[in-house]
């Protein structure tokens, strides 16, 4: 290889590395983010239907997104506050009292105030435990390894 060709290869290495990252980002995101996230969600008791709905999507050049369209995904991730429940009333096609099972018995009430749920906060946990940083390190290491193995640098 002559000097001119070697210089062209060196100059184009960043572009080729970025292209390699863009082509492999989904596989790395699944392995380094999505799979550990699903394991963590399972260990914390999240609903399997919510866990199964998580996926990685391409978000443009060298970007990925963790996405979940399940109707309860935001609620299980971020939680909800305390709230009040009242009967609909007979005039609205319901009953004048609530009926529910609680602690092994049937109860009736005109009002109940269930406690909220603080959420599993899985996405925040991934960040706090360094999963996003490790994802970046692994994909950069993969690109550098590819450049060396393919003799691009």
């Amino acid at each position: 290889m002559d000097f001119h060709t070697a210089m062209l290869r060196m100059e184009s290495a960043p572009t080729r590395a970025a292209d390699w990252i863009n082509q492999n980002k989904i596989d790395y995101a699944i392995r380094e983010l999505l799979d550990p996230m699903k394991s963590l969600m399972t260990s914390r008791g999240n609903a399997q239907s919510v866990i199964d709905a998580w996926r990685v999507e391409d978000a443009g050049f060298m970007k990925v997104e963790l996405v979940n369209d399940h109707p309860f995904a935001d609620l299980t991730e971020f939680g909800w506050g305390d709230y009040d429940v009242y009967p609909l009333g007979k005039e609205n096609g319901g009953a004048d009292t609530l009926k529910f099972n609680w602690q092994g018995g049937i109860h009736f009430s005109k009002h109940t105030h269930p406690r909220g749920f603080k959420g599993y906060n899985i996405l925040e946990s991934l960040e706090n435990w360094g999963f996003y940083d490790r994802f970046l390190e692994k994909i950069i290491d993969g690109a550098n390894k590819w450049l060396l193995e393919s003799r691009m640098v």
Side-chain angles (χ1 to χ4, degrees):
M1 171 180 350
D2 65 16
F3 178 74
H4 180 69
T5 304
M7 289 302 295
L8 287 174
R9 289 178 76 179
M10 290 294 287
E11 289 171 2
S12 68
T15 302
R16 283 184 278 185
D19 288 344
W20 185 90
I21 289 171
N22 201 50
Q23 291 167 3
N24 291 278
K25 65 187 176 188
I26 299 291
D27 291 337
Y28 273 81
I30 290 169
R31 188 171 56 247
E32 302 299 330
L33 295 174
L34 186 64
D35 289 346
M37 180 178 81
K38 286 183 172 188
S39 294
L40 181 58
M41 294 176 92
T42 300
S43 72
R44 289 193 179 173
N46 206 327
Q48 192 62 48
S49 62
V50 174
I51 295 169
D52 292 342
W54 280 100
R55 65 188 182 282
V56 176
E57 287 188 356
D58 189 328
F61 185 67
M62 292 178 55
K63 295 179 185 175
V64 295
E65 287 182 348
L66 293 169
V67 178
N68 192 323
D69 296 328
H70 192 283
F72 299 122
D74 284 349
L75 292 173
T76 60
E77 178 63 18
F78 304 112
W80 61 86
D82 296 353
Y83 57 100
D84 293 302
V85 179
Y86 296 95
L88 285 174
K90 289 181 182 171
E91 65 277 0
N92 295 316
D96 289 333
T97 58
L98 300 169
K99 176 184 174 185
F100 54 95
N101 293 320
W102 183 61
Q103 294 184 341
I106 296 175
H107 298 270
F108 296 91
S109 175
K110 292 271 187 192
H111 167 253
T112 186
H113 185 77
R115 291 183 310 206
F117 170 70
K118 83 177 207 183
Y120 292 112
N121 301 302
I122 301 295
L123 297 173
E124 183 178 328
S125 295
L126 289 177
E127 183 171 0
N128 291 341
W129 296 340
F131 278 85
Y132 298 127
D133 293 336
R134 275 196 295 283
F135 162 68
L136 293 174
E137 288 171 13
K138 295 264 186 173
I139 198 161
I140 290 168
D141 288 348
N144 286 331
K145 184 179 177 186
W146 173 78
L147 284 168
L148 290 172
E149 287 174 355
S150 61
R151 303 178 66 108
M152 294 295 176
V153 291

